[in-house]
Amino acid sequence: PPPTPVPARAMSAAVDNPNPVVRVVDKSHVQPDSSMVSIIFNCIREIKDPEHPNTLEELSVIDAGAIAITPPSPSTANLGKVLISITPTVPHCSLASLIGLCIKSKLDAEGVVPRDYKLELEIAKGSHASEEDITKQLNDKERVMAALENPPLVRMVSNCVDPVERMEFM
């Protein structure tokens, strides 16, 4: 179904997207599924957006259809790949990297990506002015590790990943 506009809370002028389109997510019809895509999506669907009180799923930043799985190749000993495509709500979203860090952190903490798979994130083609640079940052292990050693960033990630203890930081 097309996204249903729902008013978000009033935002300050510093917000990248003060009026995002929010879709109503009906979880009562979701069937439990043991596929890797479903397990990964269910793990990250409740991550909160850093600017709004909505989930990444409600804002259509993530979608189960934007998760691609490539199985490992036993004959070549290559790792499998989990590719998650992120669609920021606006092409100039300044928090796209933070959203990617939230997704990586949550999946790491939950251990849902098997060891024989490599996790890669990408900014969806044509959805952001700096999609290539942000995609490169999100897949650079050293940069991700350094970011997750930064206490203010860790707090921001925690606020988004753990909605029960989410604190306002704007």
Side-chain angles (χ1 to χ4, degrees):
T4 305
V6 175
R9 68 184 169 132
M11 293 275 120
S12 69
V15 172
D16 288 339
N17 186 359
N19 297 305
V21 174
V22 179
R23 69 179 178 178
V24 176
V25 178
D26 181 6
K27 294 180 187 168
S28 66
H29 292 92
V30 175
Q31 296 296 319
D33 181 351
S34 63
S35 73
M36 190 183 307
V37 167
S38 181
I39 292 167
I40 289 169
F41 182 67
N42 286 329
C43 179
I44 62 176
R45 71 189 310 173
E46 294 297 322
I47 294 173
K48 296 292 183 187
D49 182 81
E51 289 185 324
H52 301 285
N54 307 97
T55 67
L56 297 182
E57 179 185 25
E58 291 168 338
L59 295 174
S60 300
V61 172
I62 59 166
D63 187 84
I67 300 173
I69 308 292
T70 305
S73 173
S75 62
T76 61
N78 287 339
L79 292 176
K81 181 167 81 171
V82 173
L83 176 64
I84 301 173
S85 186
I86 303 166
T87 305
T89 61
V90 290
H92 56 277
C93 178
S94 63
L95 298 171
S97 295
L98 176 61
I99 290 169
L101 283 174
C102 292
I103 292 169
K104 281 195 173 246
S105 279
K106 177 75 172 183
L107 290 171
D108 245 8
E110 300 292 326
V112 298
V113 177
R115 289 182 166 202
D116 56 343
Y117 284 79
K118 178 181 179 184
L119 173 62
E120 290 185 16
L121 301 181
E122 71 175 4
I123 301 300
K125 305 281 185 258
S127 69
H128 196 283
S130 303
E131 67 195 44
E132 290 177 13
D133 292 335
I134 296 170
T135 294
K136 187 175 178 180
Q137 286 176 352
L138 292 173
N139 293 305
D140 181 329
K141 288 181 185 180
E142 290 176 9
R143 290 183 82 168
V144 169
M145 286 175 48
L148 294 174
E149 290 176 2
N150 178 324
L153 265 180
V154 170
R155 276 192 300 279
M156 293 168 86
V157 167
S158 294
N159 288 340
C160 295
V161 169
D162 187 1
V164 174
E165 297 182 21
R166 184 169 193 239
M167 299 168 43
E168 297 299 322
F169 60 88
M170 293 177 270

